[in-house]
Amino acid sequence: MTGTPAGAEAASRATAAGPFDGPAIETHELRKQFGRIVALAGLTMTVRRGEVFGFLGPNGAGKTTAVKLLLGLSRPTGGEGRVLGSPMGDVATRRRIGYLPELFRYQSWMTAREVLALHCELARLDRVSWHGEIVAALALVGLADRSNDRVETFSKGMQQRLGLAVALLGRPELVVLDEPTSALDPVGRQDVREIIGSLRSRSVTVFLNSHLLTEVERVCDRVAIVDRGRVVAELGMAELLDEGGVRVRVSGLTGAASIAGRFGPTRVEGEWLAVDSITDQRVPALVSELVAHGGFVHAVVPARRTLEERFLSLLGAAPDVAPDVTPDVAPDGGPGGEAGVAVGRSSDPGARP
């Protein structure tokens, strides 16, 4: 699907064409409050140009609120932010951004081609470019053979692909994807990963908001983990996963755990010793020490921490937030606001499941 010439052409057309070369997204103490409900408590982060950036957090952490602020769909209560070098919500800048929301609906009676044509018009693309944009986008997301079929005949996964095609119209410099693989099967998820990789290779910035940590781990260069309206960690993927260790299978040695404990926190798991927070450079010394004391080392296996493990440990270390009261009506967000965080991780009437 994504390896077709048409797909490659579509990806190559989505290149960053503007002169701006600073951060793609930059926020400082960005805050959003609905009455007494604090949706964002001071979001500070930087997304470098041309990288794939993962935006992670539990439900109600403020992720959707942050995306709406970045896109100019809602106004901040405080703080500041810039997108592609311009203030958030700048109309000219928004034409350089592709956006795939988590929840969207297209008119069921329209064909895929008609949906894309409508968005070409909404984006004010040059009419002579419409045909090429539509053909390339449909090929890239694997819907070339369904271009004249109505949306009502599409499965949920196919509608997700169509939404992704809409987000890629007009050669965006920044693509914001909100749960882009949530409705896709494993083959579809692999296709999306290939599309994201193609965008990265052409210096298009991808801002990926997702709950699927394994997907983020596979495609992102850096991630920000947000909880209770604040960023609790902003790290490169290699750095985030670096706190690993090794598992050593050793026999014939009493007190092996004590010896291994000199190299890092150690747990005994049957015949195995699990040694945490040990660098690759120190592993040979660990093995030599065990052998020098009479042990027999049968196996040494890397034990890197997964993104899920780091994610959960960081959330567990996040400070609590004082209780607040949910208002009946919140500005900009309707009843209860949107994506708010009132008490730690209390439910938010406006947050999406």
Side-chain angles (χ1 to χ4, degrees):
M1 169 185 136
T2 57
T4 64
E9 178 186 351
S12 66
R13 290 160 60 84
T15 57
F20 173 70
D21 59 0
I25 298 174
E26 193 169 21
T27 67
H28 179 70
E29 290 298 317
L30 195 60
R31 182 178 177 85
K32 182 64 176 179
Q33 191 164 340
F34 303 99
R36 295 181 60 194
I37 299 297
V38 178
L40 286 181
L43 186 74
T44 298
M45 66 177 179
T46 300
V47 180
R48 300 166 187 160
R49 190 170 177 83
E51 72 177 350
V52 180
F53 189 87
F55 195 54
L56 308 176
N59 289 332
K63 302 189 304 298
T64 297
T65 297
V67 168
K68 290 186 176 182
L69 293 178
L70 293 173
L71 296 174
L73 302 178
S74 184
R75 295 185 300 274
T77 305
E80 59 183 359
R82 301 183 72 82
V83 178
L84 298 178
S86 301
M88 297 181 303
D90 178 73
V91 174
T93 300
R94 288 202 297 192
R95 296 194 180 103
R96 298 153 58 196
I97 301 172
Y99 174 44
L100 173 66
E102 180 182 4
L103 301 177
F104 59 90
R105 291 290 184 273
Y106 297 126
Q107 291 85 346
S108 61
W109 47 267
M110 297 183 74
T111 66
R113 183 182 297 275
E114 290 170 339
V115 169
L116 292 179
L118 172 62
H119 284 83
C120 284
E121 183 171 6
L122 292 173
R124 299 183 181 179
L125 299 182
D126 188 346
R127 187 173 289 271
V128 300
S129 71
W130 287 15
H131 177 74
E133 291 279 354
I134 292 170
V135 169
L138 288 173
L140 182 58
V141 301
L143 293 178
D145 58 343
R146 301 295 300 271
S147 62
N148 294 315
D149 293 346
R150 293 184 177 182
V151 172
E152 64 186 0
T153 68
F154 284 9
S155 66
K156 186 176 180 181
M158 292 172 65
Q159 292 186 42
Q160 191 83 350
R161 293 171 187 262
L162 182 58
L164 184 57
V166 169
L168 297 179
L169 290 172
R171 303 172 186 161
E173 298 175 44
L174 168 64
V175 177
V176 178
L177 303 178
D178 198 348
E179 300 289 353
T181 61
S182 59
L184 299 180
D185 58 22
V187 174
R189 291 178 183 175
Q190 175 61 30
D191 291 336
V192 171
R193 287 196 292 268
E194 291 181 6
I195 294 170
I196 292 175
S198 296
L199 295 173
R200 177 203 282 120
S201 69
R202 291 158 177 82
S203 299
V204 176
T205 306
V206 179
F207 187 88
L208 177 61
N209 181 12
S210 178
H211 288 91
L212 299 176
L213 300 184
T214 54
E215 293 298 311
V216 172
E217 190 170 344
R218 290 185 181 187
V219 303
C220 289
D221 303 306
R222 293 193 310 126
V223 299
I225 296 177
V226 60
D227 190 29
R228 302 177 175 99
R230 288 184 179 274
V231 171
V232 297
E234 183 181 328
L235 300 168
M237 189 59 65
E239 182 181 0
L240 187 65
L241 302 176
D242 190 47
E243 291 187 12
V246 294
R247 298 180 71 241
V248 182
R249 185 185 174 203
V250 61
S251 65
L253 179 59
T254 302
S258 298
I259 296 171
R262 303 171 193 168
F263 295 83
T266 300
R267 303 182 308 279
V268 178
E269 300 175 349
E271 293 184 342
W272 292 82
L273 298 176
V275 185
D276 296 331
S277 302
I278 180 173
T279 64
D280 293 342
Q281 292 75 16
R282 299 193 69 203
V283 172
L286 166 63
V287 173
S288 296
E289 193 73 9
L290 293 171
V291 172
H293 283 77
F296 296 93
V297 175
H298 303 275
V300 179
V301 180
R304 297 299 184 195
R305 298 184 72 179
T306 65
L307 177 57
E308 181 178 2
E309 291 170 335
R310 290 288 283 136
F311 177 81
L312 293 174
S313 68
L314 286 167
L315 294 188
D320 290 332
V321 175
D324 212 330
V325 179
T326 304
D328 294 328
V329 179
D332 294 341
E338 44 97 2
V341 180
V343 188
R345 302 176 204 193
S346 62
S347 61
D348 162 41
R352 297 180 298 194

